[in-house]
Amino acid sequence: QVQLVESGGGLVQAGGSLRLSCAASGRSFSFYAMGWFRQAPGKERDFVAAIYWSGGSTYYADSVKGRFTISRDDAKNTVYLQMNSLKPEDTAVYYCAPKTRARRIDDLSAYDYWGQGTQVTVSS
């Protein structure tokens, strides 16, 4: 079993920044990648960013490219999401999860062991 704990969310004004953390614990961590998704009220959970454990390749949704940066700390089994130039439309609950299936990097069904999420609210 894998446990994930997201943190770092909060309330920030438009144009501000936040850094989210996703700490993993439990069984040996050897998944394809780690991803961040977000879900706004009444909407589906959407892909935000992902990073492969091997090689460190990163992928981003078009809506966050150039503003968000995903990174990882292997020693701490932690993945980060640095969010800059935040917009009100970035408001959502942000979730992290490991990619356990060989599907598209932005495919929700490729991920398992979801954390509890962390709320990000961007005011205008």
Side-chain angles (χ1 to χ4, degrees):
Q1 191 71 346
V2 176
Q3 292 80 42
L4 299 168
V5 178
E6 300 100 333
S7 61
L11 173 63
V12 64
Q13 288 188 331
S17 298
L18 285 173
R19 188 176 83 152
L20 306 184
S21 299
C22 172
S25 61
R27 72 180 178 117
S28 177
F29 215 70
S30 57
F31 303 108
Y32 294 104
M34 283 294 294
W36 284 97
F37 285 73
R38 65 186 181 187
Q39 188 167 19
K43 296 190 176 181
E44 295 182 346
R45 192 169 297 189
D46 292 330
F47 173 76
V48 175
I51 184 167
Y52 275 94
W53 286 115
S54 177
S57 296
T58 58
Y59 298 85
Y60 298 93
D62 288 342
S63 59
V64 306
K65 278 181 183 176
R67 300 188 297 122
F68 290 12
T69 303
I70 189 171
S71 62
R72 71 179 197 268
D73 183 330
D74 295 346
K76 296 181 178 180
N77 268 352
T78 299
V79 176
Y80 303 98
L81 185 68
Q82 178 66 44
M83 307 187 296
N84 299 328
S85 302
L86 283 162
K87 304 175 181 180
E89 51 263 44
D90 294 319
T91 295
V93 178
Y94 284 70
Y95 300 89
C96 68
K99 187 176 184 290
T100 59
R101 300 180 183 88
R103 299 175 184 171
R104 281 174 56 103
I105 193 70
D106 59 351
D107 186 346
L108 182 68
S109 69
Y111 295 79
D112 261 323
Y113 305 111
W114 296 92
Q116 84 289 347
T118 185
Q119 175 71 48
V120 171
T121 303
V122 184
S123 63
S124 57

